[in-house]
Amino acid sequence: MSRALLAAAFFASALAGCSAPPLPNDFAQAYAREAAQDDPGALAIYRQIIAGCEKPGARPRGHDECALAIEREAEVLEELRRWPDAYRAWLEVPRRATDDSRAARALERAAELAHERLSDDAGAARIAWRAATRYPDAVAAGDALKLAVKLEEPRDPAALARRLETLWPEVARRDLGDDVLFQAGELYRRHGDAPSAVRIYDLLAAKYPRSGLRDDAIWNAAHLLRPTDPKGALRHLQIILDSRRDALITGSYNSVYLDDAELLVGQIWRDDLHQLSPAIDAFSALAFDFPESTLKDDALVELARTFLLRHQPPDDQDRADACKALTHLLTTYPDSNRRREAGALSTELSCK
């Protein structure tokens, strides 16, 4: 979208998105300057607004206008690539903002500029922590937390993990709570502490059953458990699969990991636990009971290979069942990326 369209859209949303009186004419003039790509002109108007906010006895401005003017100043300064000035402007927004979401976003953006443009990672980390902990119910707090973790992880990951675990009780009932646990779990996972990662992931799943990070945590825990506790991995995957059953009843939810979980369940039963019957059930379910899945062709190849493991060497029924799965793939999914593999196996088995 062009700068002109962005400015027009911003102005329209500002006018329509609030029940308070419309923004005053000086903002309209500034947006018009932006739409005309006159950034210096827009900047001058925003600074007039800000100066008026600083005058003793200045009239009250609705719409959180003083903070909005500083925010727009910061954005124009970024357009002009005046990074230090933009950074200072973003830091000024929370002093005027009455809206926590605006204040958190401003601090998060200041932290990004400190990291990306000013080579001040220590300052960026301090500001990111401030955004996350001062405004734990703002959406930007989660992004700020990610940035803080990214910046501090190389220095001392163990200390960072302890800090996150100490922070969690303070924000457990706030919107940031599940983000704190997920970042701690990810930190442990990246640094090879699987038991601690699983502990944190499980805590997240238990405490935040409606979190958007819950399934990611369960999925990651299953992968970490698989090498040492495949049945524990299966228990975690079953939690994800049970969400499909619940969704069929309530029509309210389906995990993005559903088909991946079913495929992995079959692989764990077959490759790790050497139990072919539940593996066949899992692959068959994915191949024939998940109409929207893009992994149905993968399931059919896995199903065919599992049939061939029932006896050594495979008997006629094993071969017939494998051929049936392969033929279904070759006739139903002509564009499958498993087609070459399925065709080679079909030829090897002399499938009709």
Side-chain angles (χ1 to χ4, degrees), residues 172-189:
R173 296 181 180 275
R174 313 298 291 271
D175 289 353
L176 190 67
D178 56 338
D179 293 274
V180 171
L181 288 181
F182 190 74
Q183 290 300 322
E186 290 288 271
L187 192 63
Y188 284 127
R189 179 183 63 82

Side-chain angles (χ1 to χ4, degrees), residues 4-18 22-23 27-28 31-32 63:
L5 290 176
L6 281 171
F10 188 93
F11 185 40
S13 65
L15 290 174
C18 187
L23 288 169
F27 275 95
Y31 295 147
H63 286 284

